[in-house]
Amino acid sequence: MLAPIKIRDASLKQIRHACSNCSLRELCLPVGLSRDEMKQVDQLVTQGRPIRRGEYLYRAGQRFHSIYAVRLGFFKTSVISEDGREQVTGFHMNGELMGLDAISTTRHTCDAVALEDGEICELPFDDFESLARRIPALQHHLYRMMSREIVRDHGVMLLLGNMKAEERIAAFLLNLSERFEQRGYSHSSFHLRMTREEIGSYLGLKLETVSRTLSRFQEQGLVKVQNRLINLTDEAGLRQLVSSCVRD
Amino acid sequence: MLAPIKIRDASLKQIRHACSNCSLRELCLPVGLSRDEMKQVDQLVTQGRPIRRGEYLYRAGQRFHSIYAVRLGFFKTSVISEDGREQVTGFHMNGELMGLDAISTTRHTCDAVALEDGEICELPFDDFESLARRIPALQHHLYRMMSREIVRDHGVMLLLGNMKAEERIAAFLLNLSERFEQRGYSHSSFHLRMTREEIGSYLGLKLETVSRTLSRFQEQGLVKVQNRLINLTDEAGLRQLVSSCVRD
DNA sequence: GAATTTTTTTGATCTAAATCAACAATTGCC
DNA sequence: GGCAATTGTTGATTTAGATCAAAAAAATTC
């Protein structure tokens, strides 16, 4: 969830635990599976496939067979409008699922491309579904993951519909920070895998605005920017930016 | 799907058929259930409850128990940011589900309110889930409905991130038109159930901009506007607006 | 059905972000 | 390691839509 809708997500820590050290981590499955059930899921989850930067997992219009779990790396998904405008719909890192949008039409509705070398897990959806019928926790888990995607999208809608450039970028940085931290990386220092243009496309801004805003943040001592390396030097300040503007 | 991502939805007509005349229409379940399965679903789907205009189905933060199927009427869902800004996340009419966002956290993440008197069906989610395990078509159907919501949200993201006011409003009118038509109402003449402000909140515009744009459309002969009654007098023109601006 | 409140329209002005432009820095490639 | 291509920065200018304001029209309430 990118924009600050106030809902506590108590389940995060739990999930992180469950994901830490088993072969199911790429599914982020909560604990509670029997040894036998685990084995069945394992069989479904094919060995992670290495993916090179720039490689597409799928493109809009292609037939849908599998959902994809990021095991490693950084991906972007985007939709292209009739007249060729790109809207980045998300950036995805390990433990996150892609392709859920395709279930409804049995065709992919967006493109998914790797922004750095990585590894992904392909989950044939038919198999997943029938296995889910036998393993309630698995069924429930997918409902939860899809629901989470909807919540995330609503957050982006709030951001796009209501926030101004500074707020959007602050929210974006804080969101990345949080997600890196959840994965055991530094929350205050991280590398952007995407271009300014891609950030802009996600946030509904032009790349110049993204660049300028980052520069301004730097002047204000909120962040330190060296190319794509970001240092959050005043997280509280950023947080304030997100939730304070346009107060009435 | 609001913005024109080019994916054909072949299943719509089929669904409409299935929904036409059975007690499951509020779930929009595709055919293929046995008589016995139907009966089980029927038991789950409580008798539709009448809802008055202004009544809330749920509010953000409340515990999640059920998803809601609109049987009749017109609803809006919206998220409120920390500092009180409202983002309308959707308008919902009969056959559509609300509350899917709540599955992930077991708390509702948005408000749902009736914009006119109507009738809704409450579906206790736990029961739904266990029934879904026994009825594959039901399980699959919920995955599809959730996926569809994700696709729709991506369309809104495209609209908010890339389109200008005129395009947004044209897309919005065409989307309503299509949905009314799918339900057997006129596609060219319909009544807006929401205020200009609510339209604006959904589309990321101020109410003045919505009003002005509608007036301009009227001058251009694209629509006829009488209060909330809308007459699409040049659908082709509207369609062109949506897909032609900012061509490069 | 008169009075109050809410919603809508329209005009004037302002402003945040887009656009246009030029150059600098990085990255990737032969 | 040098060269081309991509990506990023910064400045000047424009503009779409926001904001402010006021009045008109509808809807609601008593």
Side-chain angles (χ1 to χ4, degrees):
Chain A
M1 178 165 50
L2 211 150
I5 306 169
K6 278 223 160 166
I7 298 292
R8 155 198 66 80
D9 193 351
S11 49
L12 265 178
K13 215 178 298 175
Q14 180 200 347
I15 286 177
R16 208 174 130 202
H17 257 289
C19 292
S20 59
N21 215 358
C22 71
S23 60
L24 299 172
R25 76 182 177 294
E26 61 279 352
L27 265 179
C28 259
L29 258 178
V31 283
L33 297 196
S34 72
R35 181 155 287 283
D36 182 53
E37 287 172 337
M38 274 230 208
K39 217 172 133 195
Q40 292 185 70
V41 178
D42 262 5
Q43 283 177 323
L44 173 65
V45 175
T46 61
Q47 194 65 328
R49 177 170 107 233
I51 298 281
R52 305 299 306 272
R53 182 157 86 91
E55 201 174 321
Y56 280 78
L57 290 181
Y58 52 80
R59 287 171 192 265
Q62 286 178 353
R63 274 208 85 83
F64 166 67
H65 300 293
S66 305
I67 54 183
Y68 296 87
V70 181
R71 220 186 241 259
L72 196 74
F74 206 89
F75 294 78
K76 107 178 160 183
T77 48
S78 54
V79 294
I80 312 279
S81 70
E82 282 185 350
D83 59 326
R85 280 174 279 182
E86 178 188 43
Q87 172 71 35
V88 172
T89 52
F91 296 109
H92 310 274
M93 38 207 295
N94 59 71
E96 295 175 343
L97 296 180
M98 292 182 289
L100 299 174
D101 51 279
I103 297 170
S104 63
T105 58
T106 72
R107 298 216 171 246
H108 287 285
T109 64
C110 58
D111 297 347
V113 64
L115 296 183
E116 64 179 2
D117 294 354
E119 209 180 303
I120 66 107
C121 234
E122 194 175 330
L123 306 162
F125 188 66
D126 288 348
D127 300 345
F128 188 101
E129 232 182 341
S130 57
L131 188 56
R133 274 195 294 282
R134 279 176 289 137
I135 308 178
L138 191 63
Q139 182 197 44
H140 186 70
H141 186 65
L142 186 54
Y143 285 133
R144 281 203 13 185
M145 293 297 272
M146 296 188 76
S147 173
R148 184 193 292 232
E149 168 86 23
I150 292 169
V151 173
R152 195 183 67 76
D153 291 346
H154 287 174
V156 176
M157 284 164 65
L158 175 59
L159 176 141
L160 291 172
N162 277 291
M163 294 168 64
K164 34 173 131 52
E166 289 202 344
E167 305 177 83
R168 294 184 200 191
I169 293 190
F172 175 70
L173 292 176
L174 289 170
N175 174 262
L176 281 182
S177 164
E178 194 183 319
R179 287 156 73 199
F180 281 123
E181 184 172 34
Q182 281 163 15
R183 286 162 179 78
Y185 305 117
S186 166
H187 64 100
S188 60
S189 174
F190 48 85
H191 183 82
L192 299 175
R193 272 73 171 186
M194 70 297 277
T195 67
R196 305 286 192 258
E197 187 168 26
E198 286 165 331
I199 296 174
S201 170
Y202 183 55
L203 299 178
L205 301 169
K206 291 296 157 185
L207 67 98
E208 294 96 324
T209 305
V210 174
S211 178
R212 267 186 250 276
T213 306
L214 285 176
S215 300
R216 191 148 6 105
F217 280 1
Q218 176 152 257
E219 281 167 34
Q220 296 167 342
L222 293 167
V223 299
K224 190 150 166 285
V225 185
Q226 296 163 287
N227 301 315
R228 297 194 182 179
L229 186 69
I230 297 287
N231 244 282
L232 304 188
T233 46
D234 182 4
E235 283 188 57
L238 286 175
R239 232 177 294 280
Q240 209 179 349
L241 252 184
V242 175
S243 58
S244 79
C245 265
V246 192
R247 175 166 291 289
D248 31 307
Chain B
M1 179 166 47
L2 212 149
I5 306 168
K6 277 224 158 164
I7 298 294
R8 151 199 72 76
D9 193 351
S11 50
L12 264 178
K13 213 180 298 175
Q14 180 200 348
I15 287 175
R16 207 174 132 202
H17 256 289
C19 294
S20 60
N21 216 357
C22 72
S23 60
L24 300 173
R25 75 184 177 293
E26 61 280 352
L27 265 178
C28 260
L29 258 178
V31 282
L33 297 196
S34 71
R35 181 155 286 285
D36 182 53
E37 287 171 338
M38 275 231 207
K39 217 171 135 194
Q40 291 184 70
V41 179
D42 262 5
Q43 282 176 324
L44 173 66
V45 175
T46 61
Q47 194 65 330
R49 179 171 105 232
I51 298 282
R52 305 299 307 272
R53 182 156 86 91
E55 200 174 322
Y56 280 78
L57 291 181
Y58 52 81
R59 287 171 193 265
Q62 286 177 352
R63 272 209 87 83
F64 166 67
H65 300 293
S66 306
I67 55 183
Y68 296 87
V70 181
R71 221 186 242 259
L72 196 74
F74 205 89
F75 294 78
K76 106 178 160 183
T77 49
S78 54
V79 295
I80 311 280
S81 70
E82 282 185 348
D83 60 325
R85 281 174 278 181
E86 178 188 43
Q87 172 71 38
V88 172
T89 52
F91 296 109
H92 310 273
M93 39 207 295
N94 58 72
E96 295 175 344
L97 296 181
M98 293 182 290
L100 299 175
D101 50 280
I103 297 171
S104 62
T105 58
T106 72
R107 298 217 172 246
H108 287 285
T109 64
C110 58
D111 297 347
V113 64
L115 297 183
E116 64 178 3
D117 294 355
E119 210 179 303
I120 66 108
C121 234
E122 195 175 329
L123 306 162
F125 188 65
D126 288 347
D127 301 343
F128 188 100
E129 234 182 341
S130 57
L131 188 57
R133 276 195 293 281
R134 280 177 287 137
I135 308 178
L138 191 62
Q139 183 197 41
H140 185 71
H141 186 65
L142 186 54
Y143 285 131
R144 283 203 11 183
M145 293 298 271
M146 296 187 76
S147 173
R148 185 193 292 233
E149 169 86 24
I150 292 169
V151 173
R152 196 183 68 77
D153 290 347
H154 288 174
V156 176
M157 284 164 66
L158 176 60
L159 175 141
L160 291 172
N162 276 290
M163 294 168 66
K164 35 175 133 50
E166 288 201 344
E167 305 177 82
R168 294 184 199 190
I169 293 189
F172 175 71
L173 293 176
L174 289 170
N175 174 263
L176 281 182
S177 163
E178 193 183 318
R179 286 156 73 199
F180 281 124
E181 185 173 31
Q182 280 163 15
R183 285 161 180 79
Y185 305 117
S186 166
H187 64 102
S188 60
S189 175
F190 48 86
H191 183 82
L192 299 175
R193 270 74 170 186
M194 70 298 277
T195 67
R196 305 286 192 257
E197 188 169 26
E198 286 165 330
I199 296 174
S201 170
Y202 183 55
L203 299 178
L205 302 170
K206 291 296 157 185
L207 66 98
E208 293 96 325
T209 305
V210 175
S211 178
R212 268 186 249 276
T213 305
L214 285 175
S215 299
R216 191 150 3 107
F217 280 1
Q218 176 152 259
E219 280 167 35
Q220 296 166 342
L222 293 166
V223 300
K224 191 151 166 284
V225 185
Q226 296 164 286
N227 299 316
R228 297 195 181 177
L229 186 69
I230 297 287
N231 244 282
L232 304 187
T233 46
D234 182 5
E235 282 189 57
L238 286 174
R239 231 176 294 280
Q240 209 179 347
L241 252 184
V242 174
S243 58
S244 79
C245 266
V246 191
R247 175 166 292 289
D248 31 307

